[in-house]
Amino acid sequence: MRLSKRLRHDARRTGVRLVWSGRKVRAAEVTEGLTPSVARATNLLRVCDVLERHGIPYFCVRSNSVTMTAVAVPARERARAERALRVSALAEGALLAGGTTGGRPLHADQRGSWSQLGEESILRIWWLLTDPTGHWTLGPNHACVIEFWAEQGGLLIAPVPNLTATAVVAAENPVQVPVSHFTGPISGAVGALPQVDTRSEFTLSLPDEVTFPVDAVYTWVDGADPEWIRRRANALGQTDYHEQAISAARFTSRDELRYSLRSLHQFAPWLRTIYLVTDGQVPAWLNSAHPGIKVVHHRDIFTDPTALPTFNSHAIESQLHHIPGLSDHFLYFNDDVFLGRSVTPGEFFHANGLSKYFPSNALVPMTPPSPEDPPSEIAAKNNRVVIAGTFDRVLTQKMKHVPHSLRRDILQEIEERYAAEHRLTQHSHFRSPSDLSITSSLHHYYGQQTSRSVTGKIRYTYLDLAAPNTGRHLNRLLAQRDYHTFCINDTVDDPDTAEARTAMLKTFLESYFPVPSPYEQPGPVSSRPPANQVDAYRSAQHPAPRPL
């Protein structure tokens, strides 16, 4: 492929990498710690900086888009704003298009680009940003939308709808708020955030906004730890458990937790604190000193210490609401569950506190529990008995393998109302016929019957590493990145294929989540350019940008 002179020039600049954007190869800025929130903030702040430096009035708007930001400029200032954005040093490398979606990208530093879009009432401008490995590039989906508001009768009138106000007083003075008011929390941001201009109408909290804190909880085990293996063998003894209850595949760690945490950092920076519940184990790579993550030992949450040690996820999950300091609303993750795109708290909770749950099309068999049933199925049938006995309702659906939206008050009420069943679950060292599956099913049905949980919708997929077509599905997932969340499970304990399954998973996860989270110990990344080169490029090309 023959590259244009412009691209060859761009490629020689320090801190730039050539990437595919649509059907073209373009130059993208290498950006440390790249996440969607960083891309949104970068695009918004650059536009605001240019307008401020040229004395052009503007105000940020609460956009209808989850991924893009918006800036309003009085229509009478359009010519000045376009020229300022075109001649600014920031314009080199910026791309421009009309409307809120679609449109052929044009170079923002060329007069003809702006002329072509002269009839458009809204424009999009963005910079292509890529992570140091080149695996991930963010562009038009995180653009800053420039809206030109017409003046009429002393009011400025919006050209398109937004979340708050389509008309504001033209003469009113702007107010300043942190940029995160329009981008959402910014991954990795430390200290005070830059301020941007807006109008008072866009500073108000709306009825459907989730404003309460939401934490995340993981349960994790290192199944290769010799001391843990010894404890498990002693607990197992001669008892005859179902094969799935004691399968080594249930406890195998392929570093999924590292990448699941990366997914939270990239796609849910609004989470307050992450709690990692373990049997005294800590991953070697974990930065446990980071204030945003806390390691919790089983003994700190089990109400009856005689139930320990336990190797039963049902038992551990029955105690999560006892985590000290845990928020009243939280998400529960298994380490094989990942966020696949930006999500908001509203995906999991309503603003009035109701939690959402996500039923599967798979049904719980109507047959009585049997020793041949998988332990998860027996627990679901036990849940059905409990719900039917209390509410005269028969649950039939399983739940999707997604982050579970949980409330501490519901979990506490279940513990008190079904004390005998709850105690049996807590004291089962391995998955047993008496178990309840509380966090993944019973909580949701109990909450629904007590008017505290409702069904929700989320784009989700489930993949089994042992399935023959999993590699093709992983490639599709990597290319499209269109699921809110996905689960990659391993249901086969086959040592002959374990290495191949691990390699396939590792390649996929490193490509999908290339940006290390702050929850990892710092380590070298071979493909990362020297930090001083990146800083030198930014200083040379973008004078005085506001830091994130």
Side-chain angles (χ1 to χ4, degrees), residues 1 13 49 80 188 216 232 253 259 275 434 436 449 535:
M1 176 179 62
R13 295 185 304 172
D49 281 340
R80 290 181 62 215
R232 178 172 175 267
S253 172
Y259 297 98
Y275 292 91
S434 59
L436 301 173
Q449 290 299 310
D535 294 341

Side-chain angles (χ1 to χ4, degrees), residues 185-252:
I186 301 172
S187 305
V190 178
L193 293 171
Q195 302 273 311
V196 293
D197 285 356
T198 188
R199 295 297 186 91
S200 58
E201 290 90 338
F202 299 106
T203 65
L204 308 174
S205 293
L206 304 181
D208 59 350
E209 288 184 274
V210 174
T211 57
F212 49 78
V214 180
D215 291 338
V217 175
Y218 284 88
T219 53
W220 180 80
V221 63
D222 178 7
D225 175 14
E227 179 59 26
W228 180 88
I229 292 174
R230 183 191 62 79
R231 293 198 301 272
R232 178 172 175 267
N234 289 340
L236 186 59
Q238 301 300 315
T239 307
D240 186 18
Y241 291 98
H242 189 283
E243 180 182 356
Q244 287 191 17
I246 60 174
S247 169
R250 290 197 51 77
F251 308 104
T252 301

Side-chain angles (χ1 to χ4, degrees), residues 1 33 52 140 167 285:
M1 176 179 62
E52 287 180 8
W285 49 263

Side-chain angles (χ1 to χ4, degrees), residues 94 145 157 195 267 269 290 366 507:
V145 177
I157 309 299
Q195 302 273 311
F267 299 126
H290 191 279
M366 296 300 289
T507 299

Side-chain angles (χ1 to χ4, degrees), residues 240-245 368-375 378 381 432-433:
D240 186 18
Y241 291 98
H242 189 283
E243 180 182 356
Q244 287 191 17
S370 163
E372 287 73 38
D373 289 341
I378 294 178
K381 292 178 178 181
S432 303

Side-chain angles (χ1 to χ4, degrees), residues 34-40 65-68 136 138 141-142 183-185 187 263-270 338-348 458-459 481-486 512-513:
L34 179 63
T35 68
S37 60
V38 167
R40 284 195 294 274
S65 171
V66 173
T67 62
M68 290 187 276
W136 199 31
L138 299 179
N141 288 340
H142 303 87
T183 63
S187 305
S263 80
L264 268 57
H265 173 67
Q266 291 177 192
F267 299 126
W270 42 268
F338 308 86
L339 297 179
R341 58 188 289 189
S342 293
V343 296
T344 66
E347 244 89 50
F348 304 98
I458 198 165
R459 188 160 169 77
R481 294 176 178 262
D482 55 351
Y483 287 97
H484 290 103
T485 181
F486 54 88
Y512 204 108
F513 306 109

Side-chain angles (χ1 to χ4, degrees), residues 367-401:
T367 56
S370 163
E372 287 73 38
D373 289 341
S376 59
E377 207 161 89
I378 294 178
K381 292 178 178 181
N382 293 339
N383 291 346
R384 180 160 58 205
V385 171
V386 165
I387 292 295
T390 306
F391 304 105
D392 196 24
R393 293 289 188 273
V394 177
L395 68 86
T396 60
Q397 290 176 279
K398 298 180 180 180
M399 297 291 165
K400 294 177 178 177
H401 292 259

Side-chain angles (χ1 to χ4, degrees), residues 367-445:
T367 56
S370 163
E372 287 73 38
D373 289 341
S376 59
E377 207 161 89
I378 294 178
K381 292 178 178 181
N382 293 339
N383 291 346
R384 180 160 58 205
V385 171
V386 165
I387 292 295
T390 306
F391 304 105
D392 196 24
R393 293 289 188 273
V394 177
L395 68 86
T396 60
Q397 290 176 279
K398 298 180 180 180
M399 297 291 165
K400 294 177 178 177
H401 292 259
V402 298
H404 293 289
S405 317
L406 303 177
R407 292 174 44 145
R408 295 186 75 175
D409 61 335
I410 294 178
L411 294 173
Q412 183 63 41
E413 198 168 309
I414 288 172
E415 180 175 8
E416 294 169 358
R417 189 163 195 168
Y418 308 112
E421 296 89 340
H422 197 279
R423 179 176 174 80
L424 284 174
T425 301
Q426 179 185 183
H427 282 262
S428 297
H429 296 291
F430 294 88
R431 289 193 170 190
S432 303
S434 59
D435 284 357
L436 301 173
S437 50
I438 296 172
T439 56
S440 60
S441 176
L442 182 57
H443 168 282
H444 307 316
Y445 282 113

